[in-house]
Amino acid sequence: MIDQEVRTPAPRIGGARGFRGRRALTAGLGAFVALILLRLITGESDITSSGTMSATLGLAVPIGMAAMGGLWSERSGVVNIGLEGMMVFGTWGAAFGAYFSGSPWLGLLCGIAAGALGGLLHAVATVTFGVDHIVSGVAINILAPGVARYLSDLLFNGEPGGGATQSPQLPNFPTWSVPGVGGPLGDLEKHHWILISDLAGLIRGLLTNLSPVTLVAAALIPISFFLLWRTPFGLRLRSCGENPLAAESLGVKVYTMKYAAVVISGAFAGVGGTFLAMVASSNYQEGQVNGRGFIGLAAMIFGNWRPGGVAAGAGLFGYTDALQLRGGAGAVHAMLLLLGVGLLALAVWHAYRRRMVTAVVSAVVAVGLLAWFFLTDELPKEIVTYSPHITTLLVLAFAAQRLRMPAADGLTYRRGGGH
């Protein structure tokens, strides 16, 4: 008998992670190049201007925090559509803490605590009492505005500028900029040179006039990735969202993990609410959340329940909102060309993969968008205003085929009996 040595190839450490990183970087660069070409073709300078990029960052923060809150909760197996209400708690809590203490930092802490309190309420209902996750989330969304209005009437009514629907003027956070970025890059941007001016606008928009809440929100994304994917705590938490019975059999305290995840989810929503009340505005106002919790859920789904994808989704929705605010009907009209060409490319890809139904649908929609672009000069005001919401629907429609939610997401769990 001849002995044969069997060699097993050494596993490539981080190979899949490196591939995902390269793919994300390639996608980001491709999107930016597409925007540059769109600016050159249409002449809409706001497409890559520093003002649009700065507005994108500001509009993406509350959406991204809501999306990250949803990610934490759903990775533990608890659906959280109550993020909208938790953001409302966060806006009011931030206003309460900041106004009565005179410190914006205490306002941030109170906003986080108020959002976490909303998360705790959702956890008690869903984890302890087994209430349907959707029912509990809807109840929180209904409850939060009423509680905020009652407390505002109780505490803000009679204060200067305050009332039942708004708080008085709140103390402001300082703003920070990277030294040396504003002036020189502003001069480069004004020349509208290909690539150079566009890069100047991107860098200037993302690195000037930053609030501390923006920096906190940006830092929370990689921190969340590290905690959820690189620590034993994160492994235990994610196992509760995949198979809580198996996690329980291995000694994981499933109830504790779910409680921690949902409370953290509410805290993230509180950060988003604080941003709306104290950075995007100068006071709490009734209705200022305006559906961002639901758009955050869409960003979470678009990102496939992963922090990097969530950040990309929040950026996409923030950009579409910024474009309609900064560029108006002309800039949004220019996006029809980009969407049409993109969908044509998608149709070719699906045809190559022999997914003919999807290819035909994509091609038909692409032709419609291109015809709309070439036959009109601008879009109706109503469509421009709701372009972020339309983008949400389109993204969810075309991204649904590649999604993979946690296996036990939304299922009621009982100790000793699985779910």
Side-chain angles (χ1 to χ4, degrees):
M1 181 180 293
I2 300 176
D3 293 333
Q4 292 182 343
E5 181 182 2
V6 178
R7 296 182 179 178
T8 302
R12 291 188 302 169
I13 305 299
R17 184 167 71 251
F19 173 73
R20 283 196 296 267
R22 289 192 298 271
R23 186 172 60 180
L25 180 60
T26 302
L29 291 174
F32 187 61
V33 170
L35 291 178
I36 294 174
L37 294 175
L38 186 66
R39 177 184 70 82
L40 293 174
I41 293 171
T42 62
E44 293 289 341
S45 59
D46 278 319
I47 289 175
T48 58
S49 70
S50 59
T52 300
M53 297 305 167
S54 179
T56 296
L57 183 61
L59 292 165
V61 167
I63 295 173
M65 289 297 94
M68 288 301 300
L71 183 148
W72 272 87
S73 182
E74 299 206 9
R75 277 294 176 179
S76 74
V78 180
V79 173
N80 189 358
I81 68 165
L83 291 165
E84 180 87 1
M86 295 173 197
M87 291 183 75
V88 173
F89 283 135
T91 58
W92 191 90
F96 170 79
Y99 179 70
F100 288 105
S101 71
S103 168
W105 298 101
L106 192 57
L108 173 60
L109 293 177
C110 288
I112 293 172
L117 188 62
L120 179 62
L121 180 63
H122 187 51
V124 170
T126 56
V127 179
T128 300
F129 293 105
V131 175
D132 182 270
H133 300 186
I134 303 300
V135 172
S136 175
V138 170
I140 290 174
N141 290 337
I142 296 172
L143 177 67
V147 171
R149 187 181 182 92
Y150 171 76
L151 292 176
S152 295
D153 190 39
L154 187 67
L155 297 173
F156 294 148
N157 209 358
E159 299 290 335
T165 60
Q166 66 180 33
S167 72
Q169 190 87 4
L170 302 176
N172 296 321
F173 281 103
T175 57
W176 301 321
S177 300
V178 175
V181 168
L185 291 183
D187 295 335
L188 284 176
E189 185 183 356
K190 292 176 183 177
H191 288 89
H192 299 295
W193 292 331
I194 299 174
L195 186 60
I196 296 175
S197 296
D198 300 294
L199 281 173
L202 175 66
I203 296 171
R204 184 168 177 243
L206 297 182
L207 297 181
T208 57
N209 298 321
L210 301 174
S211 78
V213 184
T214 304
L215 299 178
V216 168
L220 284 174
I221 294 175
I223 290 173
S224 294
F225 173 79
F226 177 79
L227 290 175
L228 287 173
W229 273 269
R230 294 291 179 269
T231 65
F233 166 77
L235 178 61
R236 295 187 186 101
L237 188 147
R238 289 186 293 116
S239 70
C240 296
E242 297 294 342
N243 192 330
L245 182 57
E248 180 190 5
S249 69
L250 295 173
V252 176
K253 297 179 180 179
V254 177
Y255 282 177
T256 302
M257 291 292 106
K258 288 179 178 287
Y259 259 90
V262 180
V263 171
I264 291 172
S265 172
F268 271 87
V271 174
T274 300
F275 184 92
L276 290 174
M278 300 188 63
V279 179
S281 179
S282 59
N283 65 336
Y284 158 77
Q285 298 175 16
E286 189 175 72
Q288 68 189 153
V289 175
N290 195 28
R292 288 178 176 86
F294 298 113
I295 297 178
L297 284 174
M300 176 198 68
I301 296 170
F302 170 83
N304 209 9
W305 291 267
R306 296 186 67 89
V310 163
L316 172 64
F317 298 133
Y319 180 76
T320 56
D321 205 359
L323 202 62
Q324 64 95 8
L325 290 173
R326 296 278 309 180
V332 177
H333 179 262
M335 294 303 293
L336 292 176
L337 177 60
L338 181 62
L339 288 173
V341 173
L343 285 175
L344 272 181
L346 186 65
V348 172
W349 169 251
H350 283 303
Y352 172 76
R353 299 297 296 270
R354 300 186 183 279
R355 301 169 184 164
M356 301 311 298
V357 174
T358 307
V360 170
V361 172
S362 300
V364 170
V365 175
V367 170
L369 290 174
L370 291 173
W372 196 356
F373 173 78
F374 287 111
L375 297 177
T376 60
D377 293 326
E378 62 180 32
L379 295 176
K381 181 180 179 181
E382 294 78 11
I383 294 179
V384 173
T385 302
Y386 286 97
S387 58
H389 303 83
I390 296 172
T391 302
T392 303
L393 295 175
L394 288 174
V395 164
L396 290 180
F398 286 100
Q401 297 179 5
R402 63 175 184 84
L403 301 179
R404 194 269 179 191
M405 64 187 293
D409 194 17
L411 301 180
T412 302
Y413 166 80
R414 282 291 168 262
R415 183 183 288 118
H419 48 280

